[in-house]
Amino acid sequence: MNNKSEFLGTESINKLLWKLATPAIIGLLVQAFYNLVDTFFVGRALGDQSVLGIAGVAVAFPLQMFMMAISIGIGVGGSSVISRMLGSKDVKKAERTLGSVFAYTLILSIIFQIFFFFNVDTVLNLFGATVDNLLYAKEYSVVILQGTLAFTFGFALNNLVRAEGNSKVAMNNMVFSGVLNIFLDAILMFGFGMGVKGAALATVLAQLAGTLYLLYYYLSGKSPLKLELANFVPKFVLIKEITVIGFGSFVMGASNSFMILVLNNVLAIYGGDLSIAVFGVAIKLIMLILMPIIGISHGLQPIVGYNYGAENYARVNESVRTSLMITTFFGLVGLVMLSAFPVTFFSMFSSDADLISSGASALRIMVLASPLIGMNIIGTTLFQSLGKARPSFFLSMSRQILFLIPLVILLPYYFDLSGIWMAFPIADFMAATISMFLVWREYRYFQHRSSNA
């Protein structure tokens, strides 16, 4: 059964990394693209109200990101355990972990849905909703909350599939749900005139279809792990391990949500709905840089986890070194692309001249340190894969919580609205510096272990 995963310890690192990462990159880019298409359709469908519609979706976005943070935290924690158990040939524990992930995801999803559904107005006001964009934000959020289970199971299971080294299944799921989302956007928003509500419903239906696809994968026996009912009873030891290891990813996702919450509120003060809309478009354009980098980290995770479990430390080091080189290149390409054509990108979403002009200026500043982003993401992934919760937690919260949010609050006092956009490259630089120090220390340790083996 575990022969299906043994290639993680034998194939050349460069070939293996691209083999595992390419499907993840494709899938994540499709996901980023459909988020852009959501915003595109909202901007085009609402005409004169495009700025308010885009701002409303931007205000609701932290809710969706927090939902994803829960599922990704569980998925990453579970995938770390599973990949290490496959590396050490403990298939039974890997299967118990799979069942615990299912149970854990279900419990937290229900709690999340009930709490936020009955406090949606309060939450949206906390997220920076204004009197003018609240209606759009609420229309979008209520529908998204109704699809909580589809979101959480989809993202959690996608991580588990990658832990087996079966990244093509994860890619197929993301591409399938992403293309379906785009198709449903066009039908619901233009064919049925559902506006912002149609964009949210398209997203929920697409995520539901993707989740059903992953359930079929496990139930059909195509996975090297069996999905047995007896394993659905949560094991406290496994839940604790999943939580501790995945907490860094949860914090990274939740801090993204909190970061957007803070930004929306600060932007409401310094720029109003226009600046919130600018940020709503800019953050989704920046995802075009982030998704390939995150895709490389997804490819890295099972390689590190498996080879660490097999005590093959030289392969761990080689995979980290290769990943850092690739992600730096991706960040550089993203910097050039978004800096060169910001007006063109913003013009796709709205014909509002102020939105286009303000957005182009903001985007050029925000992406200045893009080549450094991968250092933080790869560092976090490395320690998660090793099962080292403390450094992964620290790195995962360093960029948003320790650096970006304080800078977003402080810099506008001196540079007004421009200070908000300046906070992004400064935070990227600071987080990259700390990440590289910790990664280098771990790298030297593994070099020493390899030489003494």
Side-chain angles (χ1 to χ4, degrees), residues 362-380:
L363 189 61
R364 284 195 178 102
I365 298 172
M366 292 171 72
V367 299
L368 282 173
S370 296
L372 304 179
I373 293 175
M375 297 177 185
N376 181 246
I377 294 174
I378 294 300
T380 302

Side-chain angles (χ1 to χ4, degrees), residues 306-322:
Y306 187 97
N307 287 285
Y308 180 66
E311 299 184 0
N312 196 337
Y313 304 119
R315 285 177 64 83
V316 173
N317 272 357
E318 185 182 352
S319 62
V320 172
R321 184 173 64 248
T322 304

Side-chain angles (χ1 to χ4, degrees), residues 30-42 45 57 140 144 177-206 284:
V30 170
Q31 297 279 308
F33 183 68
Y34 90 64
N35 276 328
L36 279 172
V37 171
D38 259 2
T39 306
F40 167 80
F41 280 134
V42 168
V57 173
Y140 191 86
I144 290 294
S177 60
V179 171
L180 181 60
N181 197 148
I182 294 168
F183 179 70
L184 291 173
D185 266 331
I187 293 176
L188 297 177
M189 296 186 70
F190 290 100
F192 290 89
M194 294 180 65
V196 169
K197 188 180 293 186
L201 182 58
T203 300
V204 169
L205 292 175
K284 292 181 180 179

Side-chain angles (χ1 to χ4, degrees), residues 134-153:
L134 178 61
L135 175 62
Y136 295 108
K138 186 172 182 178
E139 278 187 0
Y140 191 86
S141 298
V142 168
V143 177
I144 290 294
L145 282 169
Q146 291 170 347
T148 299
L149 287 176
F151 273 97
T152 51
F153 271 100

Side-chain angles (χ1 to χ4, degrees), residues 192-335:
F192 290 89
M194 294 180 65
V196 169
K197 188 180 293 186
L201 182 58
T203 300
V204 169
L205 292 175
Q207 289 296 326
L208 176 60
T211 299
L212 292 175
Y213 171 78
L214 292 176
L215 285 173
Y216 169 75
Y217 166 76
Y218 279 106
L219 295 174
S220 65
K222 295 181 179 180
S223 167
L225 303 176
K226 290 182 180 180
L227 188 60
E228 296 180 346
L229 193 60
N231 290 327
F232 277 53
V233 179
K235 307 293 190 297
F236 176 76
V237 174
L238 286 176
I239 293 295
K240 180 181 178 181
E241 189 173 5
I242 290 167
T243 302
V244 170
I245 296 169
F247 195 60
S249 282
F250 165 74
V251 169
M252 182 177 286
S255 62
N256 276 326
S257 181
F258 184 60
M259 176 265 292
I260 295 174
L261 180 157
V262 172
L263 269 158
N264 284 340
N265 280 279
V266 175
L267 287 168
I269 296 171
Y270 288 93
D273 287 312
L274 177 64
S275 293
I276 294 174
V278 164
F279 177 66
V281 174
I283 197 67
K284 292 181 180 179
L285 288 170
I286 291 172
M287 295 298 281
L288 294 174
I289 302 176
L290 287 175
M291 290 301 102
I293 294 173
I294 294 172
I296 292 295
S297 75
H298 285 172
L300 176 66
Q301 190 276 322
I303 300 173
V304 170
Y306 187 97
N307 287 285
Y308 180 66
E311 299 184 0
N312 196 337
Y313 304 119
R315 285 177 64 83
V316 173
N317 272 357
E318 185 182 352
S319 62
V320 172
R321 184 173 64 248
T322 304
S323 298
L324 287 170
M325 292 171 60
I326 295 171
T327 54
T328 301
F329 173 75
F330 280 155
L332 185 60
V333 171
L335 168 64

Side-chain angles (χ1 to χ4, degrees), residues 23 27 158 167-178 213:
N158 234 37
S167 54
K168 286 186 178 179
V169 172
M171 178 197 73
N172 290 339
N173 171 59
M174 298 180 78
V175 171
F176 167 62
S177 60
Y213 171 78

